Amino acid sequence: TAECGGKSPHIVFADGVDLDAAADSIAQLILLNQGQVCSIGTRLLVQRAIETTLIDKVASRLRHIVPGDALDSKTTFGPLVTAKQCAKVMQYIETAPEQGAELVTGGGRLLAETGGYFVEPTLFRNVSANARIAQEEIFGPVLSVTSFKDREEAIHLANNTPYGLAAYVWTANLATSMKMAK
C-alpha cells in the first residue's frame, strides 16, 4: 500500500441522481475517521442546477454527529489524531474565506474543554478551483464545493489537482458514467 495523498472529487450530475443517497454517501465519507483518509472525497463538484439542494442535504447530515469518547457507544465522531493536525485543519478553515470560500456549516472546534482535538465537520461553497482547500490535502473533515456547467468542465475541475487517487461519479445516465470513466 502506498500513501500518495489525495483530493478526490465527488462529481454529481443533475440528471436524475438520487440526491438523498448521494448526500448520505458524501457526508458519511467526509466523516469517516474525521476526514483522515486520503481517498474519501473532500471536493464536491456539483452541477449548478442541483447545487443548493445538494449542499443543503449534505450540510444537514454533517450537523447530526455526536462527538466524544470512542468508548461511549453514543459517539459517532471522534477527534483528529494530534494537536498539530488539529491546528493545521483549523488554519485551512480560518483562511478559506480569504480566498472567497463561503462557510455553510461547521468551522469550529468542538469539546475543546476535554483536551481532545475535535473539529466540526465543515462545508464551504463557492470554492475556487485554485483555492488551497481545493488543492491541498487537509486530512480533516472539510468538504469544499465547486459548481460546474457541463461534463467537460467537471472533468477539468476533477483533474485540476496534483492528486489522482480516486473519483466518485454520481449520474443516472450510463453514457455519462462511461465517458467519465474514460
Side-chain angles (χ1 to χ4, degrees):
T1 302
E3 168 52 58
C4 301
K7 203 66 192 163
S8 302
H10 284 277
I11 305 165
V12 185
F13 288 92
D15 61 4
V17 168
D18 180 340
L19 296 182
D20 286 314
D24 286 344
S25 181
I26 292 163
Q28 286 172 3
L29 279 174
I30 197 68
L31 295 172
L32 179 67
N33 203 33
Q34 296 67 243
Q36 299 171 111
V37 179
C38 57
S39 61
I40 59 170
T42 57
R43 292 184 299 147
L44 173 54
L45 309 178
V46 59
Q47 203 157 25
R48 287 186 185 106
I50 58 169
E51 178 183 13
T52 299
T53 302
L54 186 57
I55 287 172
D56 290 346
K57 289 177 181 291
V58 172
S60 173
R61 286 149 175 85
L62 295 181
R63 292 182 189 113
H64 291 291
I65 59 152
V66 180
D69 185 333
L71 299 176
D72 184 341
S73 64
K74 295 179 208 124
T75 296
T76 64
F77 190 76
L80 295 178
V81 67
T82 63
K84 182 178 178 181
Q85 183 60 23
C86 183
K88 176 185 170 192
V89 171
M90 290 307 299
Q91 194 270 336
Y92 277 105
I93 290 169
E94 290 162 2
T95 60
E98 295 169 11
Q99 295 185 321
E102 177 187 329
L103 181 65
V104 175
T105 192
R109 290 282 310 275
L110 296 170
L111 305 177
E113 69 281 358
T114 68
Y117 311 120
F118 296 89
V119 174
E120 282 183 291
T122 303
L123 188 152
F124 286 100
R125 69 180 305 156
N126 297 324
V127 177
S128 162
N130 297 318
R132 286 184 67 217
I133 64 170
Q135 288 292 314
E136 298 176 17
E137 184 179 51
I138 298 171
F139 224 58
V142 180
L143 182 64
S144 62
V145 182
T146 304
S147 66
F148 66 87
K149 179 180 152 190
D150 55 27
R151 184 171 43 88
E152 290 72 26
E153 186 178 13
I155 291 169
H156 171 75
L157 291 168
N159 289 327
N160 191 36
T161 73
Y163 303 108
L165 281 180
Y168 306 87
V169 177
W170 294 86
T171 180
N173 183 314
L174 183 59
T176 298
S177 67
M178 297 306 287
K179 289 175 185 174
M180 293 300 291
K182 185 177 179 186

